[in-house]
Amino acid sequence: MKNFIFFVLIGLFLSACSPYSTQIKREYDTQHYTQTYKTLQKATKDKSNDWLLWKMQSGFLTFSYFGAHFSINDLENAETQFKVYESKGLLSNIGANVGATLSNDMAMPYRGMIFEGALLNFYKALAFSSLGDNTQARIEFNRANDRQRRAKDYYAKEIKKAHDKVVEEANKKTQSTLYETNTRDSEIDSILKTRYTNLEQFAVYRDMINPLIPYVSGVYFMIERDFAKSTDLLKESYGISKIPFVAKDMQILESRKGKRDYQKFTWIIIEDGTLARKEGLIISQPLVTGSGINAINLALPNFVNGKPTYSDYRINTTNAEILSNTSNLFASEFEKQLPSIITRAIVGAMLKFGITETINAVGGDYGAIIGLASTLAFSATTAADLRSSLILPNSVWIARIPNAESSVKIYGNNEKLLEIPITKECNAKLARMASKNELDSLIKAKPKDISARIKLFKQYYENGNEDRLCVLTDNIMYVRVHRGTIAHTIIKGD
């Protein structure tokens, strides 16, 4: 009986959700980005289960809204932790499963998704490129592409391993063949087909390769005149996206071979809208228990599609095209993770049900009181894990214009959002390098002074250091559009 009470109490303790989640979501959705940054820095001071999530969000936020080159420290720290989780298994956590089955999946550390891990490397590549560090940029582009190419095989192995580990951990508490019975493929498939009917239309990236990553990598290597590597990457992106725009880039690449003097272009990458999120789903599921078939509540996450800001984009007179849908990529990986999520929910529900039944069987006033307490406690801990990235976009658009034009004018639904001149004043890279060095010095001297960092971010933009493109070089410009905010950063050029 003492052990039962202990498990109830520890389950309640472990189920506590992050105190920062609601605040960060509210601040970001209302476009208070500097306050979001402050809260994220505060959240990452705690070595909590959500540390990786908040460190990734800090890197994504800084990249998108304050300047790509300022994001490197957060992105590198997040990727270091992500690699640890990736090597141990994103779907299983041996130590945390004991607590998670008695509470919920929020008792486990947030381990991330492969599409997030690939974006950590991708954004790092772009950030290094913005500083002219082509050696590190090349390394990170290669890592980003390699990581997502391994995703399909990774999950094929992880799903079976995660299932077996959950059942093994449950059997350490209570030996039963019913864990296997209730988590057979046919049982999981039944829940997927009846409860996730909307997921099929979103989960379109079956191989989980984001065409954005090989595309921008290919453009980068074309500008760097590594034509062989560029060709392979652009072919990969075209094979997934099938959009004529990418084929045109391959024609531009072919026209540059053997030449040193050719027409220069500016590529514009537009990230639009808000990434898909999760919402809670409570279902009553008949499960085979020691006392027969009983209807038991399962708390599961459901998928809510992302929200666009604009339905079309135009750069000068050129219509932009959608290259990738990040929300659909999220859905594709979420679909891969669902069998493991459902398995843990079933096993956890069975353990709680078994403990409650055992307590109730004791009888008497003492048994009734403890039984009621355990029922209430387990009900309180029945909650789905709704943690996911908040800062990433819903979709990504691409366009290209020749540098012969005097400026880049970006329109969303025919509304002019941004205009950046294309000039012969080509020294913006030096300003980025100087400000990155200033940030590194500031963090080293005053690691806790978040307000000073934000002041530096603002100062950088107030000086107009992202307000021009170089006519003499090929350029890549990244634009982030989220609700009423339009931010931009120069990735390649000068």
Side-chain angles (χ1 to χ4, degrees), residues 185 187-199 334-335 338-339 342:
D185 289 345
E187 301 297 324
I188 303 297
D189 287 344
S190 175
I191 294 175
L192 289 172
K193 289 176 181 177
T194 58
R195 302 294 182 175
Y196 292 91
T197 55
N198 69 322
L199 198 58
F334 178 62
E335 185 183 52
L338 267 175
I342 295 171

Side-chain angles (χ1 to χ4, degrees), residues 282-285 287 294-299 345 349-350 379 382:
I282 301 292
I283 67 172
S284 179
Q285 179 70 14
L287 298 176
N294 289 274
I296 298 176
N297 286 339
L298 302 180
M350 290 181 65
S379 295
T382 301

